[in-house]
Amino acid sequence: MNPRQFLERPTKEAIRELPKFEGLPLQKICLVRTADDLLFARDEIFNASHVGFDTESKPNFVVNQPKTGPHLVQIATGQHAFLFTLNDSPGNELLSEIIRSDKIVKVGFGLKSDRGPLYNKLGAMLQPTIELCAAVRRLGYKQQVGVQAAVAVVLGRYLQKSKKLTTSNWAAKTLSDRQLLYAADDAYASLCVYRELVRVAPHVLR
């Protein structure tokens, strides 16, 4: 009997050769801070059955120092991305409602690791979810497949990931435009991967 044959995850070099993933423009990204932002976010998100979901945390470079993240939560619909800061944010109540809502399915990568920290910060359990790491692996990959590799194999696009931005200060009072675009990309890309899997391989989303 032949051993099972697995697909090879694309190399970083091969991924960089793909056409660039086109994320949402800056004008479609809302950093939720005002009453109007909250109303807009509520209307858009609760009209969606599935949303892309991701979090960012301020990096911790000191050994044994407790982690305090997440500091930013990103939620993407097909048209907009909404970024919620968690430190004394007026959006925490709405964010908690979204996180625990059983009418909104959150799709993303590594969501299991977000559940505990989000519950500790907001008292809300993240549900229901679709873990895209597992879904993409069911296409035939032995190795773990993160968002960048998934965008490559499912969408045929290159999602640029900057280490400088990944390790930037996500707890800062003011986030740069590059941070906003980077954060929105991860949530929006997750939603795009999910939608394409629904179209071409719905069986992996069991």
Side-chain angles (χ1 to χ4, degrees):
M1 185 173 69
N2 292 330
R4 180 179 175 185
Q5 296 296 309
F6 290 99
L7 297 173
E8 286 294 327
R9 191 175 59 185
T11 64
K12 291 183 178 180
E13 292 75 19
I15 290 174
R16 291 192 191 100
E17 294 298 318
L18 295 171
K20 185 179 177 182
F21 174 78
E22 294 296 334
L24 293 168
L26 197 58
Q27 61 267 30
K28 295 290 186 178
I29 301 170
C30 175
L31 184 59
V32 179
R33 286 183 169 168
T34 69
D36 286 343
D37 294 338
L38 288 169
L39 290 173
F40 178 44
R42 173 181 287 279
D43 287 345
E44 290 289 320
I45 294 170
F46 276 93
N47 277 326
S49 61
H50 294 71
V51 297
F53 192 94
D54 194 39
T55 67
E56 302 291 347
S57 298
K58 177 183 178 181
N60 186 346
F61 300 111
V62 180
V63 178
N64 296 325
Q65 184 176 349
K67 296 180 179 179
T68 59
H71 298 99
L72 189 74
V73 173
Q74 307 100 270
I75 298 176
T77 66
Q79 300 296 324
H80 297 90
F82 299 93
L83 311 186
F84 295 81
T85 56
L86 270 66
N87 292 337
D88 301 318
S89 169
N92 281 4
E93 184 176 346
L94 173 59
L95 182 57
S96 298
E97 187 180 350
I98 294 165
I99 285 173
R100 63 168 63 98
S101 173
D102 60 3
K103 294 186 171 89
I104 306 170
V105 181
K106 299 84 180 174
V107 303
F109 293 82
L111 298 183
K112 183 177 180 180
S113 63
D114 288 329
R115 285 195 176 96
L118 284 171
Y119 184 80
N120 291 337
K121 278 216 160 184
L122 298 170
M125 185 58 68
L126 182 62
Q127 60 180 1
T129 62
I130 294 176
E131 178 51 66
L132 294 175
C133 286
V136 176
R137 282 190 70 179
R138 293 188 194 112
L139 292 173
Y141 293 91
K142 184 177 182 179
Q143 299 167 298
Q144 187 81 352
V145 180
V147 61
Q148 187 182 54
V151 168
V153 301
V154 177
L155 303 177
R157 293 290 185 268
Y158 168 43
L159 175 64
Q160 190 171 2
K161 302 287 285 183
S162 163
K163 185 175 181 180
K164 182 177 181 180
L165 286 173
T166 301
T167 58
S168 61
N169 183 7
W170 295 104
K173 289 185 177 180
T174 302
L175 298 176
S176 69
D177 288 351
R178 291 185 67 199
Q179 282 180 300
L180 298 179
L181 289 165
Y182 177 95
D185 268 356
D186 277 354
Y188 181 64
S190 295
L191 183 62
C192 293
V193 168
Y194 167 76
R195 287 180 168 180
E196 184 65 7
L197 289 175
V198 169
R199 190 180 73 84
V200 302
H203 63 282
V204 304
L205 296 167
R206 63 176 183 262

